[in-house]
Amino acid sequence: MSRVGSNPITVPEEVQISIEGSHITITGKRGALEHDLPDTITVRIQDSTLLVERCDDLRFTKALHGLTRSLLANMVTGVSKGYRKELEIVGTGYRAQAQGNDKIELQLGFSHPVKVQAPEGITFEVPDQTSIHVLGIDKQAVGQVAADIRALRKPEPYRGKGIKYVGEQIIRKAGKAAK
């Protein structure tokens, strides 16, 4: 059984936490995030650490305990350091072009360019034509936007063309055998 929920969360000096009932707000140099806690979970601050405690009466409290602790740890990391997902574009003629910090235009082999608008709290960086960086303070939002961009043209298994995460291994298939 996992004991993740009982681990304390170290809070950096630049991060402020306010708890009002079951609502928690975490503010840092990169922004602020809010979360509503389940009824069976309580949170307290002790010596620059955040402690997540649970009520033992209910059935699913153990799972909620670890989940809540992980979500709060991700929020603390997000407002202090931020999150980044890096995507790589592979293919002849496939490229990305920045249209400001919150919009990119992709050429992915379709008859038209694909434009992607970033949701609030997410920014894009395009260091070169074949790479995209998705940045933000919310880990879930950064991962979802990166997955949505990857889904526009998934890497195909024969030549490996498409959009993939940096470091992702694409399992390649053999083509037709010549006679």
Side-chain angles (χ1 to χ4, degrees), residues 31-63:
L33 293 172
E34 298 179 355
H35 183 67
D36 290 321
L37 299 170
D39 295 335
T40 58
I41 304 293
T42 58
V43 176
R44 65 183 171 94
I45 301 171
Q46 179 182 357
D47 299 331
S48 74
T49 60
L50 190 62
L51 300 172
V52 181
E53 299 167 344
R54 65 184 169 90
C55 172
D56 287 327
D57 326 355
L58 299 172
R59 190 172 165 196
F60 298 109
T61 305
K62 290 181 182 179

Side-chain angles (χ1 to χ4, degrees), residues 36-153:
D36 290 321
L37 299 170
D39 295 335
T40 58
I41 304 293
T42 58
V43 176
R44 65 183 171 94
I45 301 171
Q46 179 182 357
D47 299 331
S48 74
T49 60
L50 190 62
L51 300 172
V52 181
E53 299 167 344
R54 65 184 169 90
C55 172
D56 287 327
D57 326 355
L58 299 172
R59 190 172 165 196
F60 298 109
T61 305
K62 290 181 182 179
L64 281 176
H65 187 227
L67 172 68
T68 303
R69 191 258 177 219
S70 296
L71 291 174
L72 294 177
N74 289 342
M75 290 170 64
V76 169
T77 303
V79 298
S80 61
K81 298 177 186 172
Y83 287 101
R84 166 189 296 254
K85 285 280 190 176
E86 297 178 2
L87 299 166
E88 182 180 4
I89 301 173
V90 179
T92 305
Y94 290 13
R95 62 182 178 274
Q97 185 177 9
Q99 307 280 318
N101 283 343
D102 62 342
K103 194 172 188 180
I104 56 174
E105 184 176 296
L106 302 168
Q107 297 287 338
L108 298 174
F110 300 123
S111 62
H112 59 283
V114 178
K115 296 181 181 179
V116 178
Q117 178 72 38
E120 188 174 334
I122 302 294
T123 57
F124 295 127
E125 286 180 358
V126 183
D128 57 28
Q129 290 184 347
T130 60
S131 62
I132 302 167
H133 298 175
V134 181
L135 308 162
I137 61 172
D138 186 358
K139 185 175 186 176
Q140 180 183 1
V142 169
Q144 185 63 51
V145 169
D148 291 343
I149 292 172
R150 183 183 180 276
L152 293 172
R153 181 68 92 172

Side-chain angles (χ1 to χ4, degrees), residues 14-16 25-33 75 78-80 137:
E14 68 269 5
V15 176
Q16 289 81 33
T25 304
I26 301 177
T27 308
K29 63 183 177 182
R30 295 187 179 265
L33 293 172
M75 290 170 64
V79 298
S80 61
I137 61 172

